[in-house]
Amino acid sequence: QVRLLESGGGLVRPGGSLRLSCATSGFIFTDYYIGWIRQAPGRGLEWISYISSGGGTIYFADSVKGRFTISRDYATNSVFLQMNDLRVDDTAVYYCAKDFSLDRGGYPGRALDIWGQGAKVIVSA
Amino acid sequence: QSVLTQPPSVSAAPGQKVTISCSGGNSDIGNNYVSWYQHLPGAAPKLLIYDDYKRPSGIPDRFSGSKSGTSATLDITGLLIGDEGDYYCGTWDSSLSGGFLFGGGTKLTVL
């Protein structure tokens, strides 16, 4: 069974940092893009980042570019979202999700087929 | 503000049908597959439709998708109380920087 599980959420002050983890299982980790998506309170879903199967291709939304980084670890089949210079409007539930298609070098985004349960991040003074 | 435009809300009675629209442009819906997601309170988002109209295994045929040009549609027939929640369209953005786009979301109320 394909599973993704986020961890690392919490309360952080504006300007601070937090690292989210996404532990995966049940599929060939080296074959798929993994994405991060967030939902701020009262708002809709917002895609924020994608990392390719090999880690060499990365996309970020403009809202987090330059502040967030994404990486993956093949020993633990995990993806990480390092969030720096956090702002109040980064407060959200953060989800990781598996891309639908095998990564054959093209673009991701055909669909996000399996999602984790989410990790809550609160940025507040 | 989302590049993909959805109606903020739709409503219908149990057993009825609703249609949720998703409007975009040539660099997104017009040239990429559309997917649809159901987000029920307290749950993770769930993929309902991929490749414009295909259903993952386990998704009932009450949910159907279609696309024409730069617009897509999700139809839900035989509405159940348990269908109440938020629905999002999504697609890849083929413009300069790339990225995945979600619509603003549509809240479905089953009266």
Side-chain angles (χ1 to χ4, degrees), chain A residues 10 12-18 20 37-41 43 46 48 62-65 67-68 81 83-94 119-124:
Chain A
V12 62
R13 302 220 185 274
S17 298
L18 209 56
L20 300 182
I37 304 95
R38 69 183 180 185
Q39 184 177 35
R43 308 290 296 272
E46 178 191 15
I48 55 173
D62 288 344
S63 58
V64 303
K65 202 173 290 184
R67 300 187 298 123
F68 290 12
L81 186 69
M83 305 184 293
N84 298 328
D85 190 23
L86 281 161
R87 305 167 180 167
V88 171
D89 61 4
D90 292 318
T91 294
V93 176
Y94 285 73
K120 184 176 283 190
V121 172
I122 300 173
V123 185
S124 174

Side-chain angles (χ1 to χ4, degrees), chain A residues 33-53:
Chain A
Y33 269 86
I34 301 294
W36 285 95
I37 304 95
R38 69 183 180 185
Q39 184 177 35
R43 308 290 296 272
L45 298 176
E46 178 191 15
W47 168 84
I48 55 173
S49 186
Y50 254 129
I51 184 167
S52 64
S53 60

Side-chain angles (χ1 to χ4, degrees), chain A residues 37 39 43-47 50 59 65 95 100 107-113 115-117, chain B residues 33 35 37 39 42-45 47 50-51 54 88 91-92 97-100 102-104:
Chain A
I37 304 95
Q39 184 177 35
R43 308 290 296 272
L45 298 176
E46 178 191 15
W47 168 84
Y50 254 129
Y59 300 92
K65 202 173 290 184
Y95 299 96
F100 178 81
Y107 292 113
R110 188 173 165 197
L112 292 152
D113 62 345
W115 297 60
Q117 287 297 312
Chain B
Y33 287 118
S35 49
Y37 304 86
H39 195 190
L47 176 65
Y50 68 96
D51 288 1
K54 298 175 183 176
Y88 297 86
T91 191
W92 184 253
S97 56
F100 193 84
F102 286 103

Side-chain angles (χ1 to χ4, degrees), chain B:
Chain B
Q1 194 159 353
S2 301
V3 175
L4 304 183
T5 302
Q6 296 181 233
S9 63
V10 295
S11 61
Q16 297 300 303
K17 170 186 172 180
V18 292
T19 296
I20 299 173
S21 61
C22 175
S23 177
N26 289 322
S27 66
D28 41 74
I29 290 178
N31 277 286
N32 295 287
Y33 287 118
V34 174
S35 49
W36 288 91
Y37 304 86
Q38 177 191 61
H39 195 190
L40 302 180
K46 178 196 284 188
L47 176 65
L48 290 178
I49 298 289
Y50 68 96
D51 288 1
D52 302 337
Y53 66 91
K54 298 175 183 176
R55 284 186 306 276
S57 64
I59 301 300
D61 60 6
R62 301 188 299 108
F63 297 91
S64 62
S66 63
K67 188 177 88 172
S68 177
T70 58
S71 293
T73 297
L74 174 70
D75 288 326
I76 311 173
T77 59
L79 278 171
L80 303 173
I81 297 292
D83 294 333
E84 195 164 277
D86 297 320
Y87 292 79
Y88 297 86
C89 58
T91 191
W92 184 253
D93 177 10
S94 300
S95 63
L96 193 61
S97 56
F100 193 84
L101 297 173
F102 286 103
T106 298
K107 180 168 181 57
L108 168 63
T109 301
V110 182
L111 303 167

